Amino acid sequence: MHTEQSERNPEVIASKEQKKHTQKESPGIHSEIGTFFKLPKNFRFSFWYFLVIILALSLLNSYLSTGSSTMMIDYDEFKQRIGNGEIVRVRISEDLLTGYPATPVGTEQSRLTGDDSYSTYSVEDPGFISLLDSNGVEYFATPPEKPSLLTTMLSTFFPFIIFFFIWRFALKKMQGGSGGGGVLSFNQNKAKIVAEGDTGIRFTDVQGVDESKWELEEVVDFLKKPERYEKVGGKIPKGVLLVGPPGTGKTLLAKAVAGEAGVPFFKMSGADFVEMFVGVGAARVRDLFRQARENSPCIIFIDEIDAIGRSRSQSGFGGNDEREQTLNQLLVEMDGFDSRSGVIIIAATNRPEILDQALLRPGRFDRQVLVDKPDVVGRFEILKLHTKGISLDASVDLKRIAQAAAGLSGADLANIANEAALMAVRGDRQVVSQQDFEEAIEKSVAGLQRKSRILSESEREKIAYHEVGHAVSAYLTKGASPVSKISIIPRGYGALGYTLQYPTEDKFLMSESELLGTIDTLLGGRAAEQLIFNEVSTGAGNDISRASDLARQMISEFGMSEKYRNITLPSTTKQGLGGAREYSEKAQEYIDSETARIIAERYEIVLKNLKNNREDIERITQILLEKEVIDGEEFRTLAHSLTNG
Ligand code: ADP
Ligand code: ZN
Ligand code: MG
């Protein structure tokens, strides 16, 4: 009955999403250029044709520009040769000086070197012309050379052409080689929406979540015989939301529903939608539902729906428009069809608290199925399932392993079975031993403890006493509702353990003794901690605030105080719906002191009762520690020896 703050970290989630976005940015840019090029539909352009053309052009180019060859020399050597009279003519161009010898072609030297002129890079040298003049060298200048048209064309268009090919390549990759459809048919990207004919998963492949299975059986039944429901007109859920910590088998259950019913299974992950280009997420949702309608009866499964279904108000400033569009489209599609059309939407999340309320409204995901971590029996069943294909040593005791794996999920257990088998392989053994399992668990639990998912032995004990304290107090107090279940299996979010009472729904009318009984039960957790450990913990925070709220209401609203019996204390202001009342200073003082008095009195009584039954409490706690869950019947049998007074 106590809660711990559920771990939320919207900032981290947001930054992760952003990363995904940037990774996919480049294809988005390319698509815009795609429209600019406007390619004909069956434009087939082989890279090899292109290469041949380029080669031919460059050959032609070099052929056209072949001229005489020349020998590059240093500038001072060039001047020297002029001084020597070797060079008789000089061509001056923008950055090159070319000197022609007296006998240009066919000299001994030119034949040897293959050169018939000397060239050098021109240097800023004011005395150069006078040098030429004084040596009687002819000279002439040529204008800067104009590049050929071909070179210009190539150098201008070449980058574009390369870019074009990269773009085409990226596009092909993105489409995953799926044939058909024009190059630019983004809007109907069907590549990822493929129905699985048979998921191959049955309910027997999912263990330890019996209650969730029972709830889903109705869905299976409906998918098998939709006509029957049509006739009777019974209410069939349109959407089922599987809620539970990671790795408890939500995805597996959804597949099992499809497998049991023998209907196609359309799966999409919420994260897939978010990665999409602008406008594509919504288009995909539309497409998904269209296909589902064509293939009904069938199941649409949206895994990790929190990725798109996050509350719109929570997305903060600069929210993700794309995600919102996708979510809106999903809502529109869900409203747009009758559940009797034979399509059932199953979604899974481990963060139900961040989902947009619109998703949970009637006619949408109006049914929630809790898929919780398995208890000790469930863990045993899951271990049995996942060790089917593994040869086990006679020493292996799966029951003991299940006990040691408290707080672990189905996925953790599957992982442990696998890890144990790997250890045997590494040790070069044919069969897996108990030792292998123990090591695998240690490894897994150590990892989880770091994530503070698993409780230490002493914490577990504290929680067990706390819960038994609630249950025993409820049993001993006249007005309290009977206990229906005590559990110390840590739930993914919220309670570390809990005690349930009948009736679980709110009562509309409560007598004074029932109110006091509720307060006693709430205080019982902390009182048990006090009794056994002589110290209280934060675990009871929620219990305490609920108990004091109740006591305060008794005084101020229900007229159950001693001094102002049957009088509602007047509040000076009463704000609108659900607003807090404000009392005069004097009235407030009275309310506070009376509240404190009630709580203190009740706490004394509860503590005394627990003290008188200390041995029984210890006995029941040991059983709870062992079994993790005790149901109402069992508890009443165990509690038989409890005495009041
Ligand atoms: P979730 O979707 O709740 O995060 P998954 O369904 O993806 O969990 O579970 C991952 C894997 O863990 C499954 O493929 C299966 O091998 C194993 N597993 C999880 N829960 C169970 C279970 N209740 N029974 C059997 N195997 C399970
Ligand atoms: Zn509690
Ligand atoms: Mg999953």
Side-chain angles (χ1 to χ4, degrees):
M1 273 204 187
H2 45 227
T3 50
E4 117 196 306
Q5 211 174 16
S6 61
E7 42 176 286
R8 285 188 199 180
N9 206 339
E11 274 161 69
V12 173
I13 298 288
S15 68
K16 254 190 213 156
E17 237 159 53
Q18 258 164 17
K19 223 188 264 162
K20 270 182 196 158
H21 237 71
T22 41
Q23 274 167 1
K24 290 273 173 171
E25 208 154 61
S26 34
I29 294 167
H30 290 147
S31 71
E32 273 151 40
I33 291 162
T35 30
F36 173 73
F37 268 101
K38 280 241 163 48
L39 286 178
K41 236 200 169 147
N42 43 10
F43 186 73
R44 292 210 155 255
F45 197 67
S46 156
F47 181 71
W48 296 110
Y49 289 142
F50 178 72
L51 208 68
V52 166
I53 291 171
I54 294 279
L55 270 177
L57 287 181
S58 58
L59 268 179
L60 194 71
N61 193 33
S62 65
Y63 184 76
L64 287 176
S65 61
T66 40
S68 43
S69 55
T70 184
M71 190 167 110
M72 291 304 296
I73 55 175
D74 288 345
Y75 183 70
D76 57 346
E77 193 187 335
F78 195 84
K79 278 205 331 196
Q80 213 177 341
R81 287 186 193 250
I82 290 171
N84 291 347
E86 273 178 63
I87 290 173
V88 293
R89 255 161 56 106
V90 169
R91 188 175 71 153
I92 302 167
S93 69
E94 200 184 15
D95 47 15
L96 204 69
L97 300 171
T98 312
Y100 299 95
T103 43
V105 197
T107 58
E108 190 71 11
Q109 202 202 4
S110 74
R111 229 179 285 129
L112 277 176
T113 58
D115 298 321
D116 55 7
S117 61
Y118 302 104
S119 290
T120 190
Y121 295 110
S122 53
V123 170
E124 198 72 26
D125 181 1
F128 183 65
I129 298 297
S130 52
L131 174 79
L132 293 177
D133 283 338
S134 64
N135 281 286
V137 175
E138 252 183 80
Y139 57 87
F140 61 100
T142 52
E145 211 177 300
K146 260 197 192 156
S148 73
L149 186 64
L150 205 62
T151 324
T152 319
M153 273 173 55
L154 273 180
S155 61
T156 315
F157 290 120
F158 199 72
F160 279 101
I161 290 163
I162 296 276
F163 186 58
F164 173 74
F165 275 98
I166 294 173
W167 168 66
R168 294 250 318 163
F169 181 70
L171 209 63
K172 271 226 173 96
K173 273 252 143 142
M174 245 164 35
Q175 289 195 324
S178 70
V183 176
L184 302 167
S185 60
F186 279 105
N187 299 342
Q188 292 214 355
N189 194 341
K190 293 174 201 157
K192 275 190 191 164
I193 314 172
V194 182
E196 270 180 67
D198 180 5
T199 55
I201 308 282
R202 298 290 179 271
F203 273 150
T204 48
D205 296 315
V206 197
Q207 292 294 337
V209 285
D210 293 341
E211 284 156 48
S212 325
K213 278 202 269 186
W214 294 333
E215 291 198 51
L216 289 170
E217 246 150 36
E218 192 197 351
V219 175
V220 173
D221 194 49
F222 163 70
L223 287 167
K224 270 185 179 161
K225 303 166 223 142
E227 330 76 56
R228 225 183 62 190
Y229 286 80
E230 248 167 75
K231 264 186 224 142
V232 182
K235 192 173 170 283
I236 306 116
K238 201 183 268 187
V240 179
L241 185 64
L242 303 179
V243 175
T248 46
K250 297 182 293 297
T251 308
L252 204 61
L253 265 174
K255 284 186 178 171
V257 171
E260 289 283 343
V263 300
F265 182 74
F266 291 90
K267 184 194 160 183
M268 289 210 79
S269 174
D272 290 350
F273 286 111
V274 179
E275 290 176 0
M276 304 262 76
F277 317 130
V278 179
V280 177
R284 276 190 116 189
V285 171
R286 219 175 301 132
D287 200 45
L288 178 67
F289 277 79
R290 187 183 51 74
Q291 283 198 58
R293 270 192 291 266
E294 284 165 10
N295 288 289
S296 81
C298 70
I299 283 179
I300 295 178
F301 178 55
I302 304 175
D303 210 351
E304 291 154 27
I305 195 173
D306 37 301
I308 42 167
R310 184 136 26 96
S311 160
R312 279 166 287 194
S313 58
Q314 266 188 28
S315 53
F317 46 94
N320 188 340
D321 281 350
E322 175 56 9
R323 190 178 58 73
E324 265 177 39
Q325 268 185 31
T326 310
L327 174 58
N328 286 336
Q329 187 64 40
L330 179 65
L331 296 175
V332 167
E333 292 287 348
M334 285 192 80
D335 290 343
F337 77 86
D338 189 351
S339 58
R340 267 168 281 174
S341 67
V343 180
I344 290 210
I345 306 152
I346 301 181
T349 182
N350 49 26
R351 303 163 59 88
E353 73 281 357
I354 65 165
L355 286 187
D356 198 301
Q357 283 306 310
L359 272 172
L360 308 177
R361 240 171 253 152
R364 291 167 183 165
F365 292 102
D366 44 10
R367 184 165 308 185
Q368 296 197 19
V369 174
L370 181 67
V371 186
D372 225 327
K373 286 189 180 170
D375 62 7
V376 67
V377 180
R379 291 197 297 270
F380 173 68
E381 293 295 333
I382 295 172
L383 279 170
K384 235 173 39 188
L385 190 74
H386 285 284
T387 50
K388 248 186 209 156
I390 301 175
S391 19
L392 301 178
D393 190 279
S395 68
V396 173
D397 180 356
L398 289 182
K399 281 224 165 81
R400 249 176 59 205
I401 298 161
Q403 269 159 6
L408 297 188
S409 69
D412 296 331
L413 293 168
N415 192 39
I416 280 171
N418 191 44
E419 190 71 34
L422 286 181
M423 279 193 197
V425 172
R426 256 179 249 136
D428 215 11
R429 278 171 281 114
Q430 301 293 317
V431 289
V432 182
S433 68
Q434 179 80 1
Q435 174 80 16
D436 293 327
F437 273 102
E438 271 158 24
E439 273 173 39
I441 285 188
E442 246 164 60
K443 232 171 125 178
S444 175
V445 169
L448 288 169
Q449 247 160 8
R450 252 178 276 123
K451 286 189 265 167
S452 77
R453 278 237 175 258
I454 281 244
L455 303 164
S456 70
E457 202 46 49
S458 73
E459 280 171 318
R460 258 186 100 231
E461 202 182 18
K462 217 170 245 175
I463 290 159
Y465 273 111
H466 178 104
E467 298 307 333
V468 170
H470 283 310
V472 168
S473 303
Y475 186 83
L476 293 177
T477 308
K478 194 163 48 111
S481 317
V483 171
S484 68
K485 191 174 176 185
I486 318 171
S487 162
I488 54 163
I489 301 172
R491 308 277 132 158
Y493 22 80
L496 298 169
Y498 59 87
T499 303
L500 287 180
Q501 288 167 281
Y502 300 112
T504 43
E505 68 266 28
D506 282 340
K507 270 192 170 179
F508 290 108
L509 200 61
M510 280 181 101
S511 66
E512 193 169 354
S513 70
E514 279 171 340
L515 285 170
L516 290 176
T518 308
I519 291 177
D520 284 6
T521 311
L522 286 167
L523 294 174
R526 171 163 283 201
E529 288 182 49
Q530 167 102 52
L531 174 68
I532 306 291
F533 302 102
N534 208 12
E535 186 186 43
V536 293
S537 73
T538 57
N542 186 40
D543 301 337
I544 298 302
S545 83
R546 279 172 59 197
S548 33
D549 283 350
L550 264 185
R552 183 166 293 122
Q553 277 183 307
M554 283 175 72
I555 306 301
S556 61
E557 286 174 38
F558 308 145
M560 291 174 180
S561 65
E562 272 169 11
K563 197 164 153 196
Y564 299 108
R565 197 76 191 165
N566 302 333
I567 287 177
T568 298
L569 288 177
S571 53
T572 50
T573 55
K574 191 173 181 182
Q575 289 157 9
L577 280 173
R581 289 168 183 218
E582 272 176 34
Y583 299 94
S584 67
E585 213 170 286
K586 233 176 133 190
Q588 187 67 53
E589 238 169 60
Y590 177 72
I591 293 169
D592 286 345
S593 68
E594 273 298 273
T595 304
R597 183 187 59 78
I598 291 184
I599 296 289
E601 263 180 34
R602 299 316 299 183
Y603 191 76
E604 271 316 302
I605 294 171
V606 168
L607 194 58
K608 199 180 92 218
N609 276 337
L610 294 184
K611 243 182 213 152
N612 290 339
N613 293 288
R614 185 174 176 144
E615 269 165 35
D616 283 320
I617 289 171
E618 278 171 4
R619 180 174 52 87
I620 297 171
T621 302
Q622 285 315 312
I623 293 168
L624 179 61
L625 278 168
E626 206 173 289
K627 296 185 61 174
E628 295 174 356
V629 188
I630 296 179
D631 67 27
E633 278 310 304
E634 227 176 333
F635 173 69
R636 270 179 286 287
T637 318
L638 291 169
H640 226 76
S641 51
L642 292 175
T643 51
N644 204 344

